[in-house]
Amino acid sequence: MGIVSWIVLGLLAGAIAKFLLPGRDPGGLIGTTLIGIAGAFIGGWGSAKFLDRPIQNEFYDPATWGAAIGGALVLLVAYRLLFGNSRN
């Protein structure tokens, strides 16, 4: 997959992670989107590095999607823990 595919995957993974973890985020929509993109990259890298799962060249690979969504969830939780919910 190319860089554009990873960005699209990250956008969708961020939206899914936001759906699975509802609530107000300190960064709003743009922050959540950037977290999703970073989560897709980190999830793909982590699955290749630590789970011995090579990154597939197919956009519709379920393992790639799982890794991207998992990475976005982890980053979203970490972001909320670090920066908190300042907009009550």
Side-chain angles (χ1 to χ4, degrees), residues 1 3 5-14 17 32-47 55 59 63-75:
M1 282 192 321
I3 189 80
S5 297
W6 275 105
I7 291 173
V8 170
L9 177 66
L11 289 171
L12 295 172
T32 304
T33 302
L34 294 174
I35 287 172
I37 294 170
F41 282 103
I42 291 172
W45 174 80
S47 69
I55 298 173
F59 186 74
T64 302
W65 277 88
I69 293 169
L73 281 170
V74 167
L75 285 183

Side-chain angles (χ1 to χ4, degrees), residues 4-83:
V4 174
S5 297
W6 275 105
I7 291 173
V8 170
L9 177 66
L11 289 171
L12 295 172
I16 292 170
K18 178 69 174 166
F19 176 76
L20 293 174
L21 225 81
R24 298 182 79 167
D25 294 318
L29 180 65
I30 294 173
T32 304
T33 302
L34 294 174
I35 287 172
I37 294 170
F41 282 103
I42 291 172
W45 174 80
S47 69
K49 182 78 171 173
F50 300 112
L51 300 177
D52 199 27
R53 169 92 176 130
I55 298 173
Q56 298 295 318
N57 288 329
E58 300 174 16
F59 186 74
Y60 299 106
D61 181 42
T64 302
W65 277 88
I69 293 169
L73 281 170
V74 167
L75 285 183
L76 188 57
V77 168
Y79 183 67
R80 286 183 181 179
L81 288 174
L82 288 175
F83 296 106

